[in-house]
């Protein structure tokens, strides 16, 4: 049975998020005290999503490298992915700069704003060290562990069993993430209501 356009639109997550953002703007504008209390919805959703980042990276990289089995092919694919990433990132940065120059989002009348001392927002950065950068970056840690594990799995005799097991675990993780994404409108509503109210 074919579902109607209105049903597909209402059940579309992107449409729900759009409605939630509009609702968040209205609550933040016309009921700011309530909007400020909605912060927990936005930050809670982001915290839940962050839980999935590490497992998804690990369960994507390790079976990916392990399934190929040939490290030369992995290297070639990695180089292609790096070039693709650099080209797309450069394009996105250029587009962002053009939009910023055209729209000029920082050009506002500051006379109505409370522009007191902002030094308490600035923290002493301290001396940069690669060790500190690595230890403070969980995503990078998981990525390196995943790459090393993938290379090790490539040389293990039971490589196919390990890859199949990780693929099955990955299916469960992505299924759980799918259900978490149903909360996206709630997170968008909370974040937008708080931002506008604040």
């Amino acid at each position: 049975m074919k579902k109607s356009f209105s049903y597909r639109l209402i059940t579309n997550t992107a449409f729900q998020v759009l409605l939630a953002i509009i609702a968040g703007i209205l609550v933040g504008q016309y009921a700011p005290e309530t909007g400020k209390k909605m912060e927990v919805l936005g930050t809670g959703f982001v915290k839940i999503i962050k839980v999935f980042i590490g497992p998804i990276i690990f369960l994507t990289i390790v079976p990916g490298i392990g399934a190929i089995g040939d490290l030369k092919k992995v290297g070639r694919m990695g180089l292609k992915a790096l070039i693709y990433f650099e080209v797309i990132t450069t394009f996105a940065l250029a587009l962002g700069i053009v939009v910023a120059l055209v729209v000029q989002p920082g050009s506002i009348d500051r006379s109505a704003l409370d522009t007191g001392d902002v030094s308490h927002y600035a923290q002493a950065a301290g001396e940069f060290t690669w060790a500190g950068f690595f230890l403070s970056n969980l995503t990078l840690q998981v990525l390196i562990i995943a790459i090393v594990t993938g290379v090790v799995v490539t040389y293990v005799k039971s490589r196919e069993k390990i890859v199949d097991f990780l693929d099955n675990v990955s299916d469960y993780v992505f299924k759980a993430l799918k259900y978490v994404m149903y909360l996206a409108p709630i997170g968008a509503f909370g974040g937008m209501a708080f931002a506008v109210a604040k």
Side-chain angles (χ1 to χ4, degrees):
M1 183 176 156
K2 193 174 180 181
K3 294 173 181 174
S4 68
F5 174 75
S6 58
Y7 176 81
R8 282 182 286 146
L9 185 66
I10 291 169
T11 56
N12 182 285
T13 305
F15 181 71
Q16 293 171 356
V17 168
L18 180 62
L19 289 179
I21 289 171
I22 293 168
I25 292 170
L26 294 173
V27 169
Q29 179 66 33
Y30 298 108
E33 290 307 314
T34 304
K36 288 176 185 176
K37 293 175 185 174
M38 297 296 111
E39 179 185 17
V40 68
L41 298 177
T43 55
F45 177 73
V46 171
K47 285 177 183 176
I48 293 172
I49 292 296
K50 282 183 177 178
V51 169
F52 285 88
I53 293 174
I56 286 173
I57 292 172
F58 187 84
L59 293 169
T60 303
I61 299 290
V62 176
I65 294 174
I68 294 172
D70 183 359
L71 292 180
K72 288 182 181 177
K73 286 183 181 176
V74 172
R76 285 194 295 271
M77 287 178 65
L79 181 62
K80 288 177 184 176
L82 181 64
I83 291 169
Y84 174 79
F85 172 78
E86 290 298 331
V87 169
I88 295 300
T89 303
T90 303
F91 175 74
L93 287 170
L95 184 63
I97 289 169
V98 169
V99 170
L101 290 173
V102 172
V103 177
Q104 297 182 350
S107 299
I108 59 172
D109 180 18
R110 294 188 183 96
S111 61
L113 298 175
D114 179 17
T115 55
D117 181 27
V118 294
S119 61
H120 61 279
Y121 291 109
Q123 296 177 348
E127 188 178 338
F128 174 82
T129 62
W130 284 106
F133 173 72
F134 177 75
L135 292 173
S136 65
N137 194 327
L138 179 64
T139 303
L140 184 61
Q141 294 171 19
V142 173
L143 180 62
I144 290 173
I145 291 169
I147 291 171
V148 171
T149 305
V151 170
V152 170
V153 166
T154 302
Y155 291 108
V156 174
K157 288 182 180 178
S158 57
R159 173 176 64 87
E160 290 180 7
K161 288 183 180 178
I162 295 170
V163 169
D164 287 342
F165 172 75
L166 291 175
D167 280 339
N168 288 333
V169 174
S170 177
D171 288 342
Y172 286 112
V173 170
F174 277 101
K175 195 173 284 186
L177 180 62
K178 176 186 171 185
Y179 290 120
V180 167
M181 289 310 294
Y182 289 135
L183 301 174
I186 297 171
F189 168 78
M192 189 57 70
F194 173 74
V196 173
K198 193 74 175 176

